[in-house]
Amino acid sequence: MNILHIDSAITGDASVSRQLTAKIVAKLTADQPDAAVTYRDLAKGVPAIDNDWFHAVRLSPENPTAEQQALIDISNAYLNEVQAADVLVIGLPIYNFTLTAQLKNWFDQIARAGLSFRYTAEGPEGLLKGKRAIIAYTAAGTPFGSELDFASGYLRHILGFLGITDVEFVPADGLAFDRDAGLARADEALDRIAA
């Protein structure tokens, strides 16, 4: 089993989402000690897609410049990690009711027509099928699944668009109001996660 472990919280060791993703990965590897883990800390920065990215990555020039090749290589590295993974463990801290900018940038980097999805006569088809995603949702005040939560539905949708429909959440919400209760809910959800 190949696990891709992704964190995006900017709060370092104080991050609850980082603590939860580490617990999820520990549970998966305890049950499957031969599992390989690739770790990616998006808080270190993920380039936003822009006009240069579009001309390099999306338009795929036959003879890219050195600058274009660097943009292609970055995007390919992110996508290759996802393609190689059987399980994605993603930390989803909620900032201003939604996902972090770094995590959104990462999805923009890996959503590549012809590689991670394609358009067909029947509509779009995800090409990253057969994978599982476990999401550590953490929020100080945004209840998981509420009308204020613009992140979990987006993650389920974008992962499904890419072909990943086996999506589970380990939510720790309401941390600003009752931290212990929020962490207890996350531990209960974690206990239900099968390896």
Side-chain angles (χ1 to χ4, degrees):
M1 176 171 64
N2 291 321
I3 300 169
L4 177 57
H5 178 180
I6 297 171
D7 282 325
S8 65
I10 60 173
T11 51
D13 292 340
S15 164
V16 175
S17 69
R18 287 177 183 272
Q19 294 166 22
L20 281 180
T21 59
K23 284 183 179 180
I24 294 166
V25 170
K27 180 173 184 173
L28 295 174
T29 55
D31 291 334
Q32 297 206 25
D34 292 337
V37 178
T38 300
Y39 181 71
R40 177 71 76 167
D41 186 353
L42 304 182
K44 294 181 177 178
V46 178
I49 62 172
D50 58 11
N51 188 264
D52 292 337
W53 183 92
F54 176 79
H55 283 91
V57 178
R58 186 65 61 83
L59 297 184
S60 301
E62 190 172 318
N63 296 302
T65 66
E67 293 81 10
Q68 288 176 326
Q69 190 61 54
L71 295 172
I72 294 165
D73 291 345
I74 290 168
S75 188
N76 284 347
Y78 292 131
L79 182 55
N80 291 342
E81 288 174 349
V82 178
Q83 290 171 325
D86 301 301
V87 180
L88 284 71
V89 176
I90 302 174
L92 176 60
I94 303 304
Y95 297 165
N96 302 315
F97 309 105
T98 193
L99 65 161
T100 67
Q102 296 88 344
L103 187 54
K104 175 61 168 66
N105 289 347
W106 180 80
F107 275 110
D108 288 343
Q109 289 280 354
I110 67 168
R112 306 255 307 269
L115 297 175
S116 56
F117 72 93
R118 66 180 173 190
Y119 293 111
T120 72
E122 292 78 36
E125 176 189 6
L127 300 177
L128 301 176
K129 296 175 181 156
K131 301 179 187 300
R132 176 185 184 197
I134 306 171
I135 315 297
Y137 174 102
T138 59
T142 304
F144 173 71
S146 73
E147 63 182 15
L148 301 176
D149 167 16
F150 298 101
S152 64
Y154 171 78
L155 243 64
R156 189 178 295 280
H157 177 80
I158 188 68
L159 288 167
F161 178 79
L162 299 176
I164 304 170
T165 57
D166 183 358
V167 180
E168 303 166 82
F169 285 88
V170 176
D173 55 3
L175 296 173
F177 308 108
D178 190 340
R179 184 179 180 86
D180 291 340
L183 295 175
R185 283 191 296 276
D187 284 341
E188 289 172 12
L190 182 59
D191 287 342
R192 293 191 295 270
I193 295 289

